[in-house]
Amino acid sequence: MSKKTIAAILLFFLCAADTTIIPLQTRRSTSLTTPNGVFDLDQAVVHSVATRNKHRRNLLNWRKNTGLGGPLSQSSKITAPALIPGKILERRQIEPLSDVANNSLWPGIISVGTPAQQFVVDFDTGSSDLWVVSSDCQSDICSVPGRSRYNVLASSTAEKQDNQTFSINYAVSGPVYKDTVCVAGVTVTGQSFGAATTLSVDFSDIPLDGILGLAFPAFNSFNETPVFNLAYEQHKVKANQFGLFLAGNGSELFLGGVDSSKFKGEVDLGFWALNNTGAKVAGEEVVSDIVAVVDSGTNVVYGPPADVATLHEKVPGADLFMVEEGSSLYSFPCESVPSIAFSWGGKDWAIPTTTMSQGLTEEGSSQCIGAVVGLDTGLGDNVWVLGDPWMRGLYSVFDFDKEAMGFATLK
């Protein structure tokens, strides 16, 4: 029996059962490291470009959907779209970058349509859109072996939204449909989503069929209700919150509550954006008054370049590795991993030492590239984006009723 057949059988039982847990596939513990242990600068630049464009899109959608300014800071700004430098594109044409998705995405299985069509999607707390690849996309990128494509003609519950299309600036576009969607044991009807008829070359080596966003509805590109929020409106989950556990093994998304088997003590809840956060090195606060965004689709921790420079001044042996396309990269002695934490709610939440290194500066070097990177995301002068390296050290809870986010200590 093939892996795909086994996955289809598993999906059937998940959607038929009364469960709210969806397992997330495992990925390597490092984020931007080549097989020989060296930091992959090209991949880091590509990821920085994608992160800037994602949050640029979020700001545009927020302003369009709410009529308000920036959701996090008065200093947020809409910048020009970030572009991958030509020299990197040329190198990618010679030898395409591989494993882009393995280290920045958390894939799981969903279904769309009636009967159910299975897709592997990334669950992303930094966006609000659902899209999958369409069978109408006939390019080589859409047709890579193992990639599933949505066939609207095969679904009895599909409804095309007249004159409505989507285009996301990390290079996917196509028409918008409504159909039945199942995530774990949660099934929603009339869910708006994009059926991608074009994919950029960046998806050539990414083993995904789409992305399912879990952020606020105001960030949605279609100005429609995202999957989880629609599930709550349709009374398919008990609580308007979800829990996220990211680890080397056993990662999971828990819909409609939390999985108390994954953490100990209480969940400390606060505003969705963490205000009055401080950055600490070895227990000493070095940057204060931070507004922090938690983004599972980001494989490093990004902060304003000046703040990140201040932080690394307190890290023994730290050096500025290079500034590339607006990203300030720092190194530290591999044998002396720094203790970096973010304080909030009276507690310090540290980046695990196992996720701090992003690889050697070069083969044979004793210096490692750190997981804290300087980057102007456009979100605001004091806004940081806390990504995967930080999230692996705790259990995360997102509560829409309270517009709050909370954390608990792992068991």
Side-chain angles (χ1 to χ4, degrees):
M1 185 178 295
S2 70
K3 290 183 179 179
K4 198 159 188 176
T5 301
I6 294 172
I9 293 172
L10 174 62
L11 178 66
F12 170 80
F13 284 109
L14 281 174
C15 290
D18 183 19
T19 180
T20 55
I21 300 176
I22 184 165
L24 304 180
Q25 297 176 16
T26 303
R27 65 182 182 178
R28 294 201 307 264
S29 60
T30 53
S31 296
L32 298 168
T33 311
T34 62
N36 64 350
V38 176
F39 176 66
D40 190 332
L41 177 60
D42 283 1
Q43 187 170 318
V45 171
V46 170
H47 186 72
S48 294
V49 168
T51 298
R52 289 174 63 186
N53 285 336
K54 178 170 75 170
H55 290 294
R56 176 182 182 274
R57 185 184 77 251
N58 284 343
L59 285 173
L60 287 169
N61 290 340
W62 174 277
R63 292 185 181 184
K64 178 185 69 175
N65 296 338
T66 68
L68 302 174
L72 303 173
S73 171
Q74 293 299 316
S75 60
S76 64
K77 57 185 180 295
I78 305 296
T79 59
L83 301 175
I84 298 174
K87 61 184 179 181
I88 293 180
L89 288 174
E90 290 174 5
R91 287 197 289 269
R92 287 166 66 92
Q93 290 169 356
I94 298 171
E95 183 177 357
L97 296 177
S98 60
D99 297 330
V100 173
N102 291 348
N103 299 310
S104 59
L105 306 172
W106 293 98
I109 299 172
I110 70 168
S111 73
V112 181
T114 307
Q117 301 175 44
Q118 172 191 315
F119 302 95
V120 176
V121 301
D122 170 49
F123 291 91
D124 181 14
T125 62
S127 65
S128 300
D129 303 324
L130 169 63
W131 65 265
V132 295
V133 180
S134 169
S135 60
D136 290 332
C137 183
Q138 300 298 323
S139 70
D140 292 341
I141 299 170
C142 291
S143 305
V144 297
R147 177 159 285 159
S148 298
R149 293 181 288 175
Y150 174 70
N151 184 351
V152 62
L153 299 179
S155 176
S156 62
T157 48
E159 299 178 31
K160 186 175 183 180
Q161 304 306 289
D162 292 338
N163 302 318
Q164 189 172 1
T165 60
F166 80 106
S167 179
I168 297 175
N169 56 20
Y170 52 87
V172 296
S173 61
V176 176
Y177 291 90
K178 286 189 176 182
D179 209 336
T180 298
V181 173
C182 174
V183 183
V186 178
T187 300
V188 297
T189 58
Q191 176 64 55
S192 294
F193 68 99
T197 54
T198 61
L199 288 180
S200 77
V201 69
D202 293 327
F203 287 89
S204 299
D205 300 312
I206 297 181
L208 283 179
D209 307 319
I211 290 178
L212 191 154
L214 294 164
F216 269 121
F219 294 130
N220 188 265
S221 296
F222 321 135
N223 198 17
E224 297 280 356
T225 306
V227 175
F228 177 74
N229 307 89
L230 187 60
Y232 184 71
E233 288 181 7
Q234 295 182 357
H235 307 290
K236 300 299 178 65
V237 292
K238 295 179 180 179
N240 199 11
Q241 66 177 198
F242 64 86
L244 194 58
F245 172 65
L246 306 182
N249 293 288
S251 302
E252 68 171 37
L253 170 67
F254 190 105
L255 301 177
V258 299
D259 183 354
S260 58
S261 70
K262 298 296 184 184
F263 61 90
K264 57 187 177 182
E266 299 296 321
V267 175
D268 292 318
L269 283 174
F271 292 110
W272 197 278
L274 303 180
N275 295 300
N276 301 317
T277 302
K280 292 185 173 183
V281 176
E284 176 189 355
E285 185 171 273
V286 295
V287 183
S288 59
D289 297 325
I290 290 172
V291 177
V293 178
V294 177
D295 183 358
S296 64
T298 298
N299 58 5
V300 293
V301 171
Y302 288 117
D307 285 353
V308 172
T310 298
L311 181 145
H312 281 96
E313 288 175 0
K314 298 295 184 178
V315 174
D319 289 317
L320 177 63
F321 178 65
M322 68 170 54
V323 178
E324 182 76 13
E325 298 300 321
S327 296
S328 305
L329 303 166
Y330 292 83
S331 67
F332 63 86
C334 300
E335 294 185 354
S336 181
V337 181
S339 173
I340 296 177
F342 293 88
S343 59
W344 171 82
K347 293 185 178 180
D348 293 347
W349 305 91
I351 301 175
T353 56
T354 54
T355 63
M356 183 64 71
S357 173
Q358 303 299 296
L360 302 175
T361 56
E362 60 183 0
E363 197 163 0
S365 173
S366 62
Q367 287 286 109
C368 290
I369 298 295
V372 181
V373 178
L375 181 71
D376 180 4
T377 61
L379 293 175
D381 296 339
N382 63 333
V383 178
W384 290 56
V385 178
L386 307 184
D388 165 65
W390 183 75
M391 293 184 72
R392 285 183 183 233
L394 43 82
Y395 188 88
S396 306
V397 179
F398 300 80
D399 192 306
F400 285 91
D401 278 346
K402 298 177 181 177
E403 295 189 355
M405 180 167 49
F407 309 101
T409 304
L410 297 178
K411 286 186 175 179

